[in-house]
Amino acid sequence: MPMFYYFDPLYFLFLLPALALVIIAQVWVKSSYNKYAKVYSRRGLTGREAAQAVLDRAGLHHIRIERVAGKLTDHYDPRTQVIRLSPEVYNTPSIAAVGIAAHEAGHAVQHATGYAGIKVRNAILPISSHGPMLGIFMLLIGAVFNFPVLIYFGIALFSFAFLFQLVTLPVEFNASRRALAAIKETGLLTEEERAGARKVLTAAAMTYVAAMLQTLMTLLYYIVRFTGGSRRE
């Protein structure tokens, strides 16, 4: 992290509120997960069985479900067409496990049906993976040598991090909607249990919102700090 971050009040003015939101979102999702991970569903289906039920409902019998190490490491890998669930989700018949597993199965359904948000996110993934770090490097070099072209180009590259997170939001919310609809239609959870699963998925979605806001505030800081009136000559 560049040393001027530690001494520039403008940095803290922009980033502290966003950082607070990130911390709140992380506490929220952990609290919701821990609560409903201890509440078992009436049907007693594990996360693996719930994900399989969602996949079967969509006719996606070819997608595998595997266990992956860690906590809250659940994800869908579109390259190998595999849903990977953490041990607590894979093996446990809890409301949280059913909700999270169904959400990951929702991502599999998105890919299989050609959901537009997935296509947009995949299109910008290559540049959003490496562009932001390169952008910060170019921005700082441009600032040190007073080269405005590098500064603007660096900011433009960094903005792809925000764009990627912005596109990710509807993808995540859509996967949760698909999950909750499938849970209801297949009877995986009762109405009361679905309310718990919804709380877990909503809390998880808020972590994406908080991360996006943090990136947005960082982007705005770069714009104001390096191109605005506060820029140091």
Side-chain angles (χ1 to χ4, degrees), residues 39-133:
V39 182
Y40 285 9
S41 66
R42 294 182 183 178
R43 288 192 60 183
L45 297 177
T46 65
R48 185 196 65 78
E49 292 169 330
Q52 190 63 63
V54 176
L55 294 176
D56 290 344
R57 170 179 172 270
L60 303 179
H61 308 294
H62 62 286
I63 294 178
R64 303 195 313 277
I65 304 172
E66 299 177 351
R67 186 165 43 191
V68 65
K71 185 174 183 178
L72 296 178
T73 51
D74 314 275
H75 64 279
Y76 171 66
D77 186 346
R79 297 167 300 177
T80 57
Q81 296 187 324
V82 174
I83 293 175
R84 297 190 175 93
L85 303 177
S86 59
E88 291 184 358
V89 172
Y90 187 95
N91 294 317
T92 307
S94 68
I95 292 175
V98 170
I100 292 172
H103 174 89
E104 299 308 330
H107 281 308
V109 176
Q110 287 176 333
H111 281 270
T113 57
Y115 174 61
I118 289 290
K119 293 181 178 179
V120 174
R121 189 172 70 170
N122 289 344
I124 64 175
L125 178 60
I127 191 170
S128 64
S129 297
H130 305 289
M133 290 303 298

Side-chain angles (χ1 to χ4, degrees), residues 117-118 120-121 124 162-172:
I118 289 290
V120 174
R121 189 172 70 170
I124 64 175
F162 168 69
L163 180 60
F164 180 80
Q165 292 177 333
L166 182 63
V167 172
T168 294
L169 284 184
V171 173
E172 294 299 325

